[in-house]
Amino acid sequence: MNIKKHELKVHNSLSGKKESFQPLNQEYVGMYVCGPTVYSDVHLGNCRTFISFDMMYRYLMYLGYKVRYVRNITDAGHLENDADEGEDKIAQKARLEQLEPMEIVQKYTVGFRKIMGEFNALPPSIEPTATGHIIEQIEMIKDIISKGLAYEANGSVYFDVPKYQSQGGNYGVLSGRNTDELFHNTRELDGQSEKQSPLDFALWKKASPSHIMRWPSPWSIGFPGWHLECSVMSSKYLGEQFDIHGGGMDLKFPHHECEIAQCQAHTNHPPVKYWLHSNMLTLNGKRMSKSTGNTVLPQELFTGENDLLVKGFDPSVVRFFMMQAHYRSVLDFSNEALLASEKGFARLMDAMEKLDSLHSSSSISELDVEGWMSRSLSAMDDDFNTPILIAELFEAVRWINSISEGKLAISKEDLVQLSSFMKDMVFFVLALKSPAKSASTDKLDSAMQLIIELRRGARIEKNWALSDQIRDHLAQEGIQLKDGPDATSWFIQ
Ligand code: AMP
Ligand code: ZN
């Protein structure tokens, strides 16, 4: 694929506009995405963000770019209230579960990777951790202090936002926030605070005696601030200026704003050419969020073990559901929406299965395959518009069905192109997988449908003993039945 032929446009949060994508080094792309804080299971909202960036990573590679994709693991420094106060999220969980902080980190990192694998997301090129880069973080703090843009107070170090502003800095450049307004809307310093201004943020925090995650530094035994790790690890692996920085919208402020300020103070130039932000997954119209408990876990979704669901869904159906929305649109999660996606997904996969058995029947094609491919790519080139791409794929599904029924003629060349393009888009760029259906699962499903029917009969006759016996016996074998309003489904635990 010739990259130059493409006119990829991406929505840059810095300008608020779609811009032509021109990487700093021709065919190379450096992309950094803020990774998870590994103190709990990732919820489906977190997954949406990482799946969105996986799609972009894949499309950039499809276009022929050599992409270095760095996604960190936050294993220290992220405090409870996302600001500079409270306990470290990981240390807090370690205390609650009576485990070593690194056991918590290991447990949830392994869980996160497993889930991302189930969603067919590629691992990033580099997955650095905050605790693995304490020395580099200390070095960056020293440099910012030496430039007069950070100060020490009682063993902690804070970034001096007003001074940064007075020297031409633009704190607010990304989020569009105005520092005067921020100043007035931020809680007054209470006299106890070490900060000179409420806008200042921590680069290093002195650890209290109860704080279990701590490292020596020139200022105190303590730990780095959350924002610092991303500035340090992105510049270490992608350079002081790189192409794409991504994350969920909620990270724009303060996290990404602080990243820009730190890097600008350190190198005197902006770190990132394109800031990309993905939108939120909501549940009942409210953002899915760990702190409010308004979440669905991927595992619950796969098994159906959640009151919101009538059944379990294949990870590819869930991925397809996410790809049906643009990454910058809010997406509301519901059982009904997933059921609709499941139908569409089945139609798509059915057509994909037919592809290899299609026959070309004439040298004159009735189809404009070139035009269709070009429209599909234009959709993706327009800020990764996957819903439009999917609409185009369904145009091809109609063709495939008509060709297979002998109602439409396609030339050999067109068939080769149609087939290889469909596979690239469906299996590589959207990364959907045909659900593995072996002959034995088909047989098991058929036997289970019979058992479910017999149990339904028993219930109609109010033969509760038999109905319970069936359910309990299956449960002993690790097979769970789930009664929905219209039907009963089953899954293996
Ligand atoms: P955290 O582990 O809290 O640092 O979050 C990891 C990533 O998930 C960040 O990029 C967040 O922006 C993203 N995220 C959190 N909640 C949601 C949500 N409801 N929908 C989409 N992304 C989210
Ligand atoms: Zn980050």
Side-chain angles (χ1 to χ4, degrees):
M1 169 85 35
N2 184 351
I3 302 166
K4 290 182 189 66
K5 271 192 196 157
H6 271 265
E7 185 41 29
L8 174 63
K9 285 204 169 83
V10 298
H11 182 273
N12 190 350
S13 304
L14 261 184
S15 62
K17 291 196 190 102
K18 282 186 203 163
E19 293 176 12
S20 166
F21 180 69
Q22 306 289 346
L24 295 160
N25 301 310
Q26 293 218 353
E27 78 253 48
Y28 294 92
V29 174
M31 171 160 110
Y32 185 92
V33 173
C34 294
T37 306
V38 282
Y39 73 110
S40 65
D41 290 317
V42 276
H43 58 69
L44 208 60
N46 303 132
C47 295
R48 180 185 184 202
T49 287
F50 300 125
I51 291 171
S52 295
F53 285 98
D54 180 63
M55 172 275 291
M56 295 178 204
Y57 176 41
R58 285 166 173 276
Y59 188 61
L60 289 166
M61 286 195 288
Y62 172 79
L63 292 183
Y65 289 110
K66 296 187 179 67
V67 188
R68 181 179 293 165
Y69 173 23
V70 183
R71 188 183 64 208
N72 68 308
I73 296 279
T74 296
D75 59 353
H78 198 168
L79 302 186
E80 262 171 286
N81 66 355
D82 282 6
D84 293 338
E85 285 150 44
E87 213 176 339
D88 182 299
K89 292 189 183 200
I90 287 157
Q92 185 186 45
K93 193 64 178 280
R95 193 169 46 73
L96 289 174
E97 294 198 10
Q98 297 194 316
L99 292 170
E100 268 293 312
M102 280 300 128
E103 283 182 282
I104 295 291
V105 165
Q106 178 71 3
K107 177 175 164 184
Y108 294 111
T109 303
V110 168
F112 168 64
R113 290 193 184 129
K114 181 166 177 285
I115 292 294
M116 292 322 289
E118 301 228 34
F119 282 124
N120 205 16
L122 295 169
S125 331
I126 306 177
E127 204 173 29
T129 62
T131 57
H133 296 78
I134 300 288
I135 292 169
E136 290 89 336
Q137 295 186 74
I138 291 174
E139 288 308 308
M140 194 182 279
I141 300 173
K142 280 189 198 163
D143 181 70
I144 298 175
I145 294 179
S146 78
K147 299 201 159 110
L149 291 168
Y151 56 90
E152 188 203 331
N154 299 324
S156 294
V157 180
Y158 295 96
F159 189 92
D160 191 337
V161 175
K163 181 109 174 266
Y164 172 68
Q165 290 298 86
S166 72
Q167 294 192 358
N170 187 356
Y171 188 76
V173 64
L174 178 68
S175 57
R177 303 204 187 190
N178 174 300
T179 37
D180 290 336
E181 277 171 29
L182 274 175
F183 192 84
H184 289 109
N185 294 337
T186 312
R187 192 162 48 87
E188 286 284 307
L189 294 179
D190 56 9
Q192 302 287 312
S193 179
E194 304 152 346
K195 292 186 195 179
Q196 293 171 4
S197 158
L199 298 186
D200 297 349
F201 57 90
L203 301 177
W204 186 264
K205 287 284 275 184
K206 180 180 175 177
S208 64
S210 61
H211 200 103
I212 39 186
M213 297 176 78
R214 41 172 63 216
W215 292 265
S217 80
W219 313 286
S220 63
I221 293 185
F223 55 93
W226 170 40
H227 313 306
L228 191 66
E229 63 174 272
C230 290
S231 291
V232 163
M233 295 190 280
S234 58
S235 59
K236 173 159 178 171
Y237 297 110
L238 298 173
E240 288 177 353
Q241 277 187 306
F242 58 95
D243 301 301
I244 297 177
H245 192 315
M249 294 263 193
D250 57 324
L251 297 186
K252 236 192 230 182
F253 187 87
H255 186 54
H256 292 160
E257 198 70 66
C258 295
E259 273 190 52
I260 294 178
Q262 290 163 164
C263 290
Q264 188 82 41
H266 179 50
T267 65
N268 214 16
H269 53 68
V272 176
K273 201 164 173 195
Y274 306 98
W275 281 91
L276 268 54
H277 288 100
S278 55
N279 216 326
M280 297 290 108
L281 184 71
T282 56
L283 179 60
N284 297 320
K286 288 198 210 82
R287 185 190 144 189
M288 216 179 256
S289 154
K290 172 85 185 149
S291 55
T292 55
N294 190 40
T295 59
V296 173
L297 299 182
Q299 209 53 44
E300 296 171 346
L301 195 53
F302 304 154
T303 61
E305 279 178 285
N306 183 306
D307 292 344
L308 294 168
L309 302 167
V310 293
K311 62 189 274 303
F313 291 90
D314 187 274
S316 268
V317 170
V318 184
R319 187 166 173 132
F320 181 67
F321 160 71
M322 293 183 181
M323 293 292 124
Q324 283 178 300
H326 190 266
Y327 77 92
R328 282 193 298 114
S329 306
V330 171
L331 175 63
D332 196 49
F333 174 89
S334 72
N335 182 64
E336 288 64 37
L338 276 169
L339 285 171
S341 291
E342 192 175 49
K343 281 197 188 133
F345 176 77
R347 269 183 63 217
L348 182 60
M349 286 303 141
D350 182 56
M352 295 310 287
E353 269 176 35
K354 284 183 191 152
L355 261 185
D356 287 335
S357 52
L358 292 185
H359 296 291
S360 51
S361 54
S362 79
S363 54
I364 309 147
S365 193
E366 295 173 39
L367 300 171
D368 177 15
V369 173
E370 282 281 346
W372 165 76
M373 290 189 341
S374 145
R375 286 197 305 279
S376 304
L377 289 177
S378 300
M380 286 303 282
D381 287 342
D382 183 16
D383 194 27
F384 310 100
N385 201 325
T386 54
I388 304 276
L389 169 68
I390 290 173
E392 292 294 347
L393 294 180
F394 276 105
E395 174 72 18
V397 167
R398 282 187 284 279
W399 292 348
I400 292 167
N401 290 336
S402 298
I403 297 166
S404 119
E405 290 163 15
K407 291 182 188 156
L408 196 65
I410 187 165
S411 70
K412 194 168 172 215
E413 294 74 39
D414 275 357
L415 181 55
V416 170
Q417 279 209 312
L418 173 77
S419 176
S420 97
F421 188 76
M422 274 299 268
K423 287 178 184 170
D424 280 348
M425 291 300 122
V426 172
F427 298 137
F428 184 71
V429 174
L430 298 177
L432 306 173
K433 279 208 255 186
S434 292
K437 256 199 177 174
S438 62
S440 56
T441 34
D442 274 353
K443 282 186 186 149
L444 177 61
D445 188 53
S446 155
M448 283 304 302
Q449 293 312 328
L450 177 67
I451 295 172
I452 287 169
E453 197 46 40
L454 292 173
R455 178 167 166 270
R456 204 172 71 87
R459 285 162 74 94
I460 288 169
E461 286 164 16
K462 299 201 172 8
N463 186 349
W464 308 120
L466 179 59
S467 141
D468 289 352
Q469 189 192 354
I470 294 174
R471 195 199 50 215
D472 295 347
H473 184 85
L474 290 172
Q476 268 175 19
E477 297 300 322
I479 299 174
Q480 284 285 335
L481 294 182
K482 186 166 169 88
D483 293 313
D486 306 319
T488 300
S489 57
W490 66 275
F491 58 88
I492 297 178
Q493 273 187 313

